[in-house]
Amino acid sequence: MFSTTSGAPASIALRNPRRRQRTGSDDSVAARQFFKRLKRSGLTSETFRPLQNTSANGEVYSREPTPSINGPARDINSHDPATHEHASLAIRNRGGKKLDRERRDYNHDGSIELTKNNTYSVSRLATTPVHFQSHHGSTKWRGQLAPSIGYVIATTQTEALIWRYKQGANASDSSKPLIIRLPHASPNAKQPLPLAVLVPSSPEPGLLVVMPVSGKVTYWETLSIAATMDLNRQKQQAIHGTIAGLATGERATNITDTEPQGFLITIDSGKIAHLSIADLQGKASISAQILRNTNSHDGGIFGSLRTVFGGGGSLKSVAAVKASNTVHRGHRDCIIGTSRGLLQLWELNWSLAHSLKYEVDVKAKLVDSIHNIGVIPHDCENQYFSVLDLVFLPSSAMGQVRINSGHQSTTKLLVLTVTSSVSDSRYALHVVGIADGTIDVPIVHPVSCYKTPISPESSFKPTLLVPKQGQTAYVVFEEAVVLVSLEEVPNSPDSQLRTETTKAPGSFQDVIDFRKGQGYRVVGCAVDIPEKGYKGSACTVMIQGYGLIKVSVAPPREGLTFSDRATTTAQTKLEQAVFYGPQQSLLDFSGRPEIQFATEDIEDAAIRICRSITSSSSKHLSTAGPSTEQHLHRRATALSDLVKHLSKHYQPVRPSVRWTLLWEAEKMAAAKAIWRCYCDAVASKPKGEKVLLHELVECISELDKTENQPDEHETDPVRHWLVHDVWRLQILLPWVTKALILLYEESLEDKMPMSSAYRARLISEAHDIQLMALQTAYSFRQDNASLYGLSEETMMHNLLIEDGSGMPEVWTSTSLICEAVRKLAEYFQDFATDLDSHNSSDEEGNSAPQQLLEQTAQSNARLVDMSCKIHTERVRLLQADNNLEVRAQGQELEERSDRYRRDLLRGLVNIGLYHSAIKLGEKYGDMEALAEVLESEIQTSQDDLDNNLVAGEETDDVRAKIALCQGFVDQYFVKYGESWADAFFARFVDQGRISQLLVHGPKQRKHLTAFLRGHPECAAFSWINEVAVESDFAVAADDLERAQKQADTVWAKKIQLSISKLATLAAVTNEQRDEDSATLVIHHIHCRVEVLDAQEQLYEYLKPTMRRALNDTPAKVDAVMEQYFKRFVKAKKALRSAMKINVKKIAEEKVLDLEDLVDTISLMDEDGLDPDSDFAAGRFLTAIKLVRSCILDEGNVQRRELLEKIIWRRCIIQDNWSKINRTEKKGDAQVEAETVGTALFKTLREGFKSNFWDDYPPIEPSSVLGSGTTFESLRASSRYDKASDNALKIITQDLSIEDGVLQTCMREGRLEKWWTGIIDAARMSARNEADHIGEDNSRRRETERGFRDQMNREDEALWGGKRTGGVELGMDEEGDVMMGI
């Protein structure tokens, strides 16, 4: 079985050339038939030439003896044709050129990349026959790959399909696979599939087939013999045999290649058969023997069902049979492992001799290692542990295994185990070291990314593959491939701590999932042989219904830490799904529950991928190509795939992220529209003129775009921008207007101004760019809102209507874009207006094409619409912000936007598009703009008719236009109702034509009345409508009440109050108001009139002083301040400033409010007044009476008390009581004169005269101390409750000065001692004065009576009787005679 010379080629072992050659006719006939069969089967010598240095995927294989990691072990040199040129020289010379051509094309083999990331890639090999790809459904296949020779075999119940899967682009062999009918085949589909394996030999491989039920073995030395169409000859030229010892009911389940002519057959009962295909002389023959432990007394390990694994219960639990490297000549080690963790190492001999070297049970160690790393708790119940597969670790991986025992390791394995429960399965990879019967498990790699249980119906057993490099383990399941990194852990404190607990630090793991429900299932796999010097690894997986895929793991990249290499990122997963998911049907990128990412990581990854697409920075996108349109389309498709994947598998995503993704997709759609505009502009531009897009890209700052690389021959700025800077579209659009203006200004600076036609074309291009970009973006937003998780209720006119707080800035409505779109619309309107004034030509007489102007005008109307839309969008976003300052900006922008909209609509009217202006006004509900457009059109047209500026047919057109606009006006009253009426009537008010409102007829009476009633500012006119039209005197009285509050002059306010009183009385007469409420209203009116009377009295007193300044108001103010407000308010900054304002209002006869009037009266200097005037004597009493009678809100008592106390304090401190109190050397007459001359005495006397103090006693000085000197006392009044602290501080300082003077008066002037005496004196003075007046009146009446009697006597004497009529006589207060009729 084994070669006796290590360097002997396999061909010698297969057929010894030194043995006697047969010369009979049978040999000659057989040789001729062989070549006929070769020709008939379509096979060539190149078809079966073993791969020497190159594979189908561009890998150059090493010629060193390479062990098979997954079972088959083969010496590649043993069947290299270069070692025995005498056997294949003629064939190689004949096919040499074809081989060279195939090698040149290997890099273009047509394989399809299914996915790729920084760690691994998956590609579909192009060499799979269609016959195998199309087999879905119930047809079962079994696959076996021979990577050492580049062939694969797939078997069914009746046939074998063989093809070469490692070859170049000339894939004629894959299109013509070799189909071999299998002998002894069973048509029963329930029978297990035959076991088939390719046997490497030269010049072509052989084929070994084992029937699992019957145990019959068939071997063909070459495939050309097996592929003959003549079944009899096929059977005759095959070598047949049988597995001896195969009992009834036993079945062969697996075949393991152990040497070129040696195999191990696994039987489901637990037996292992050692099979050889050559005798001791190298002649082909079949011999098989069941492995038995000759050292056992029970008759062999697998010979006896009780001695193999300790009882019949474990007989069918063989998990893996693997062959190791050849230890020495003629010998080979083989490991056999059971699912329960029993391992046996056998030594096989070329003469079919075998012996068991040792047997160990590693289950306990494996289970403990899992428990120690915390994957499975020690006390966990209902867990089933099983060994699934194992492999010998390659020599390159030995340094990565750390054995903690002191023994020298002789056998090192990687074992795949599973711990199953009802819900899931926990897989793990154990590094097992066996030295002299001692077991050590130094490292465990728990498989955390895959926990799917193995289906009982699965026909493919999980297979563990470890390439020669030993850096990565491939765990191949029936519907998935798991990659586990075996990379050496860096020496760090953390890793040392983990090593002590036998847990490897988190290494790279990932799952390559197949799509469910497609019928894809793995039927075979094998490790690829790498090219010499390549540090990566790969394996080939055979998938029924799809073909062959190659999973390649790249070598570790330099510069990355272990943690970086071990991390499976969300971005990687999303990129695979986006760039590869929609392009193929095999791989499933929906994600697994075992691999979870934080929502923040998913969102960040999505945004990064989105930006890499819009900037073409993704490694999955090319940056050059013949079709820019296709390039943009591919990127747009990738963005769509991204959001679809997120929506399906990663919900929920924050709204801000969804909006960001939507906006980037909008930019890509807009970029496609811009490209089409550019293509149209290039195709239509006149020779010698520029294209605007090209120029504006050049204008953009280097900081805001990706610069061209001229040294790399990048000369097209437009294409370069579309490839790299689409994500900066919000920067390009504002530059459209800037570039347009710059080009025109440069032409003026160069003294070569643009022609009107050229300028009009550039403006038209600018309109196209901005319109197409923004319209496409909004259309995309509307069409894809649901895809991005935005419901229809969220949008209105494609704008956000829900709460937008926390959202990033919307790119379509940045401040720069809003300004640029508006300015471009204005720019054309100004340009068109200027052309119209110059008869559509510039200064040089060059006219712009009329058709182009009309088209641009229509575009301008759409651009105005867009300007309104984006301004609305920006306003909503700002007003939804949580920041109060930002909200204020939104309010300010809303007001500006309304002005912008009306200016733009007015501009549309100016260029003759008043219909468009009306439609836009209706669209945005801008009643004010509609009112302005319609009213101005009606007014302008009517002026043209009145001034005879039109004639003939134009007259009819103008009249029709007026009728049309008037029709709109009437229609809007019905359509919009109050909102339209408000805007329409408000325009009359703003223009000062409010009197014209009454001419609108009875149809608008209802709206006019509602408008006037709803606008208090129109109260001065509204009462006329109420009296004349509605006859509602109560409402008219209310309007006059509001109007008097708006009146700023004393006479107007007094007149309106008087008319209000009349309207109130009329309302009572017409039963529109009850008498009680009318009485209260009239009382209020009288109070206000009193205030106005007091102000008029003050004005009349100050009038002589103001008259000296003529009509100069500031001079009047200065004169009054100098005369009456010099001493008392000198040190009071706030009060002095307030007095200047009040005096100015008095000079202009403007109305003062109650507090200001009281302050003005009470702060006048006493020494500046005429002491004999009634105003000076009663001013403080007047102020107190106003406060008492006019503060109607009795609920605010604090306001009245505060004002009253301040008045009393100012009254008291008008005089120097300290001086008055010093009575030494003064007579009573002098003291009495000084007291009687004080403001306090005059005020008290005037009050006693009118008996005012009977109801409202004077306030003692001690009670007014401290009034208004604190914030609390001021804020108790409604006048100061909303004042700022700074304002109150100034006021309290001034009032504190007054309070200090009062304290001095009380302390030094003993005012409290004087108080009672002064009151008594004032009362006595008032009484004496009243008595004096009474006596005077009595004397006057007596004089009148006496004079009348005398006159009567004289009349009687003259006329003969008493006077009965005529002149009435009387006397005035001066005692003069008065005469009256």
Side-chain angles (χ1 to χ4, degrees), residues 38 41-51 91 94-95 98-99 102 106 149-152 162-167 170-174 176-178 198 201 203-205 223-224:
L38 182 63
S41 65
L43 302 176
T44 65
S45 58
E46 288 79 11
T47 301
F48 299 108
R49 182 177 301 282
L51 297 178
I91 298 177
R94 184 171 61 248
K98 184 175 181 180
L99 285 176
E102 288 181 354
Y106 278 164
I149 57 176
Y151 281 85
V152 63
I162 303 174
W163 69 94
R164 187 176 185 179
Y165 73 95
K166 292 185 178 180
Q167 55 190 10
N170 185 8
S172 59
D173 297 334
S174 63
K176 298 180 181 179
L178 187 62
L198 294 172
S201 61
E204 57 180 284
L223 290 179
S224 57

Side-chain angles (χ1 to χ4, degrees), residues 161-380:
L161 190 67
I162 303 174
W163 69 94
R164 187 176 185 179
Y165 73 95
K166 292 185 178 180
Q167 55 190 10
N170 185 8
S172 59
D173 297 334
S174 63
S175 61
K176 298 180 181 179
L178 187 62
I179 301 177
I180 300 176
R181 295 291 300 274
L182 300 179
H184 315 297
S186 172
N188 187 358
K190 296 182 180 180
Q191 295 289 337
L193 296 177
L195 305 176
V197 64
L198 294 172
V199 182
S201 61
S202 181
E204 57 180 284
L207 175 61
L208 175 67
V209 179
V210 177
M211 292 300 166
V213 177
S214 63
K216 295 182 179 180
V217 181
T218 306
Y219 170 60
W220 293 275
E221 295 182 88
T222 62
L223 290 179
S224 57
I225 298 176
T228 179
M229 300 297 293
D230 190 337
L231 296 181
N232 292 328
R233 293 183 178 179
Q234 181 198 49
K235 184 176 181 180
Q236 291 175 0
Q237 298 198 16
I239 294 91
H240 301 278
T242 303
I243 300 176
L246 190 64
T248 302
E250 292 181 334
R251 300 179 179 181
T253 59
N254 190 34
I255 182 169
T256 303
D257 192 355
T258 59
E259 241 278 337
Q261 283 79 35
F263 301 90
L264 291 179
I265 309 298
T266 303
I267 303 173
D268 58 1
S269 62
K271 298 178 181 178
I272 302 294
H274 188 186
L275 176 68
S276 176
I277 59 174
D279 57 15
L280 296 179
Q281 288 75 32
K283 182 179 179 181
S285 64
I286 300 296
S287 57
Q289 183 180 3
I290 300 297
L291 292 184
R292 301 178 185 277
N293 183 6
T294 56
N295 298 326
S296 173
H297 299 287
D298 294 329
I301 293 181
F302 291 95
S304 173
L305 299 181
R306 298 183 181 273
T307 60
V308 181
F309 298 110
S314 61
L315 296 180
K316 298 183 179 180
S317 61
V318 175
V321 178
K322 300 296 171 68
S324 68
N325 300 332
T326 301
V327 179
H328 52 84
R329 185 180 303 172
H331 297 269
R332 189 138 188 139
D333 287 343
C334 175
I335 193 79
I336 301 174
T338 71
S339 60
R340 296 193 176 184
L342 188 65
L343 300 182
Q344 293 186 339
L345 183 65
W346 290 79
E347 181 180 356
L348 307 181
N349 190 274
W350 61 274
S351 60
L352 291 185
H354 50 267
S355 62
L356 178 62
K357 298 179 67 174
Y358 57 77
E359 175 182 284
V360 293
D361 190 345
V362 298
K363 178 179 179 179
K365 286 282 188 179
L366 296 178
V367 172
D368 288 343
S369 65
I370 296 177
H371 289 165
N372 291 339
I373 63 175
V375 175
I376 304 296
H378 285 275
D379 56 351
C380 187

Side-chain angles (χ1 to χ4, degrees), residues 1248-1314:
F1248 283 122
K1249 284 181 181 181
S1250 61
N1251 299 320
F1252 183 77
W1253 306 130
D1254 295 343
D1255 296 325
Y1256 307 106
I1259 302 177
E1260 296 182 0
S1262 59
S1263 299
V1264 301
L1265 277 175
S1267 298
T1269 58
T1270 62
F1271 288 4
E1272 292 75 13
S1273 61
L1274 287 179
R1275 284 209 168 98
S1277 170
S1278 60
R1279 185 184 184 187
Y1280 302 108
D1281 58 352
K1282 296 181 180 179
S1284 65
D1285 290 346
N1286 291 333
L1288 292 180
K1289 181 179 180 181
I1290 298 174
I1291 295 173
T1292 54
Q1293 289 175 352
D1294 290 353
L1295 296 179
S1296 295
I1297 295 175
E1298 295 180 0
D1299 207 60
V1301 175
L1302 177 60
Q1303 292 176 5
T1304 302
C1305 292
M1306 295 176 65
R1307 183 178 63 253
E1308 299 179 2
R1310 299 191 305 154
L1311 190 57
E1312 288 181 304
K1313 301 293 184 180
W1314 285 78

Side-chain angles (χ1 to χ4, degrees), residues 778-797:
Y778 281 112
S779 297
F780 184 92
R781 185 179 300 174
Q782 180 180 19
D783 297 340
N784 296 274
S786 58
L787 177 61
Y788 287 83
L790 305 172
S791 61
E792 295 181 359
E793 292 76 11
T794 308
M795 311 291 293
M796 177 182 293
H797 299 307

Side-chain angles (χ1 to χ4, degrees), residues 24 107 394 427 435 484 533 598 644 778 860:
N107 291 329
Y427 301 94
V484 181
K644 289 178 182 177
Y778 281 112
N860 187 261

Side-chain angles (χ1 to χ4, degrees), residues 1339-1373:
R1339 285 194 300 271
R1340 186 170 60 249
R1341 286 192 297 270
E1342 288 295 331
T1343 302
E1344 289 177 355
R1345 188 181 307 111
F1347 182 78
R1348 188 181 297 112
D1349 291 342
Q1350 181 180 355
M1351 292 297 293
N1352 287 333
R1353 287 193 299 270
E1354 292 178 356
D1355 287 343
E1356 184 179 358
L1358 180 62
W1359 300 101
K1362 287 186 178 182
R1363 185 181 182 90
T1364 57
V1367 179
E1368 291 289 340
L1369 301 178
M1371 298 183 70
D1372 60 11
E1373 294 180 355

Side-chain angles (χ1 to χ4, degrees), residues 1141-1173:
I1141 296 174
N1142 293 346
V1143 171
K1144 183 175 183 294
K1145 288 183 178 181
I1146 293 172
E1148 295 174 348
E1149 298 186 64
K1150 299 294 181 63
V1151 178
L1152 293 177
D1153 61 23
L1154 176 62
E1155 284 84 355
D1156 289 338
L1157 180 59
V1158 168
D1159 283 343
T1160 305
I1161 293 174
S1162 62
L1163 289 173
M1164 298 175 71
D1165 297 335
E1166 185 72 17
D1167 51 3
L1169 300 174
D1170 182 3
D1172 297 329
S1173 66

